């Protein structure tokens, strides 16, 4: 009887196609989405500090950058207005995250956004729309399956920042240039940490643009620790689906942080 079972098990493995085996290996336990700030070149921008830190803490984790204009009217990023860029970014984030959650239903997902990159994740995860940028849909735009798989979200220098929200971290007691309205609540607040200091002119009402550049150095370790606290310790495959080609990529160029780094911070022109 035992011999028969062993033979059947070996036969089952032998009949499994190479594609089946490959599919099972292409869904990691953890996948990270990074979204860059305005005028940063394609890649992770300043979100790379946290993206790389999470990869270093979880060997086998994968990551991808949200592909969107990250623009505010500057010629260097194609000339899209800030509103056009945010709308494109929200759509790109929703498409990428929802698709990944569908293809890899057991993979734990992490969102890491910086500045405008935070704004697009904030809109998609928290709902409420973005009226100042012409986005009227007030619902959570990620699918229910994606929301369930998103274990942690990091927002750094989020223009939607509004004082008093339970996930805020930092010294800002006001709001960003695109602040959420008074009384706003996010249904997924427990998954988020949002970092902003009072001297930041983009996520708060300060006048020191250099503050906006420093969240990776100031809060990066804290943000990585928060993400790690939300992730399970499981290792190995996260499902049997096949993610898109880009979803299995890790950061390229440079060194350190486990996956390397890309797209270092570029001083943005004022986000208007």
């Amino acid at each position: 009887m035992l011999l028969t079972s062993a033979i059947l098990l070996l036969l089952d493995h032998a009949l499994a196609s190479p594609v089946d085996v490959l599919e099972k290996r292409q869904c990691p336990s953890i996948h990270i989405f990074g979204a860059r700030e305005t005028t940063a070149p394609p890649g992770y921008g300043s979100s790379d500090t946290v993206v790389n830190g999470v990869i270093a803490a979880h060997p086998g984790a994968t990551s991808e950058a949200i592909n969107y204009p990250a623009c505010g009217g500057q010629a260097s990023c194609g000339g899209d207005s800030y509103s056009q860029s945010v709308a494109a970014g929200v759509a790109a984030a929703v498409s990428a995250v929802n698709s990944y959650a569908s293809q890899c239903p057991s993979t734990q997902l992490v969102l890491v956004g910086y500045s405008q990159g935070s704004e697009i994740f904030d809109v998609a995860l928290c709902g409420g729309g973005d009226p100042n940028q012409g986005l009227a849909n007030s619902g959570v735009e990620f699918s229910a399956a994606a929301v369930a798989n998103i274990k942690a979200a990091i927002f750094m220098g989020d223009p939607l920042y509004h004082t008093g929200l339970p996930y805020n971290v930092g010294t800002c007691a006001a709001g960003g240039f695109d602040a959420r309205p008074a009384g706003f609540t996010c249904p997924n607040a427990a998954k988020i940490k949002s970092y902003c200091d009072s001297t930041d002119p983009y996520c708060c009402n300060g006048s020191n643009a250099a503050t906006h550049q420093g969240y990776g150095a100031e809060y990066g370790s804290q943000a990585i620790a928060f993400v790690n606290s939300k992730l399970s310790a499981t290792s190995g495959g996260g499902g049997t689906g096949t993610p898109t080609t880009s979803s299995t990529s890790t950061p390229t160029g440079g060194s350190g942080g486990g996956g390397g780094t890309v797209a270092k911070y570029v001083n943005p022109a004022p986000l208007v």
Side-chain angles (χ1 to χ4, degrees):
M1 186 69 172
L2 290 175
L3 181 59
T4 301
S5 298
I7 292 172
L8 290 174
L9 182 61
L10 288 171
L11 181 62
D12 180 64
H13 283 296
L15 292 175
S17 71
V19 173
D20 291 334
V21 174
L22 182 61
E23 286 179 352
K24 291 179 181 179
R25 291 177 180 173
Q26 284 184 324
C27 286
S29 292
I30 298 165
H31 187 71
I32 308 143
F33 292 91
R36 70 195 192 278
E37 67 274 26
T38 304
T39 73
Y44 298 91
S46 295
S47 72
D48 65 354
T49 299
V50 178
V51 171
N52 290 338
V54 176
I55 288 175
H58 301 276
T62 57
S63 65
E64 66 180 288
I66 299 298
N67 182 15
Y68 83 111
C71 205
Q74 300 85 355
S76 63
C77 49
D80 283 10
S81 70
Y82 191 80
S83 294
Q84 290 173 323
S85 182
V86 168
V90 172
V94 169
S95 176
V97 175
N98 285 356
S99 177
Y100 202 97
S102 175
Q103 294 165 8
C104 291
S106 298
T107 296
Q108 301 175 94
L109 304 179
V110 177
L111 311 179
V112 184
Y114 207 101
S115 193
Q116 187 179 163
S118 293
E119 184 160 1
I120 67 173
F121 282 148
D122 192 339
V123 172
L125 182 61
C126 288
D130 199 344
N132 291 336
Q133 310 310 330
L135 301 180
N137 183 356
S138 61
V140 171
E141 298 201 35
F142 289 135
S143 68
V147 170
N149 285 6
I150 293 168
K151 304 305 178 183
I154 299 298
F155 304 155
M156 290 184 159
D158 185 359
L160 292 174
Y161 188 99
H162 190 285
T163 188
L165 294 171
Y167 42 79
N168 289 347
V169 180
T171 60
C172 180
F177 69 81
D178 204 10
R180 294 289 197 179
F184 175 81
T185 58
C186 176
N188 297 301
K191 301 174 184 282
I192 301 168
K193 289 296 181 185
S194 181
Y195 301 89
C196 180
D197 285 334
S198 61
T199 51
D200 190 324
Y202 302 129
C203 64
C204 201
N205 61 351
S207 58
N208 184 1
T211 302
H212 195 66
Q213 302 174 28
Y215 295 118
E218 183 177 3
Y219 294 113
S221 295
Q222 185 179 144
I224 293 164
F226 172 76
V227 172
N228 290 341
S229 76
K230 293 292 186 177
L231 296 171
S232 73
T234 57
S235 60
T240 58
T242 305
T244 57
T245 301
S246 65
S247 65
T248 55
S249 64
T250 53
T252 57
S255 60
T261 57
V262 298
K264 293 300 182 183
Y265 189 89
V266 176
N267 275 337
L271 302 180
V272 295

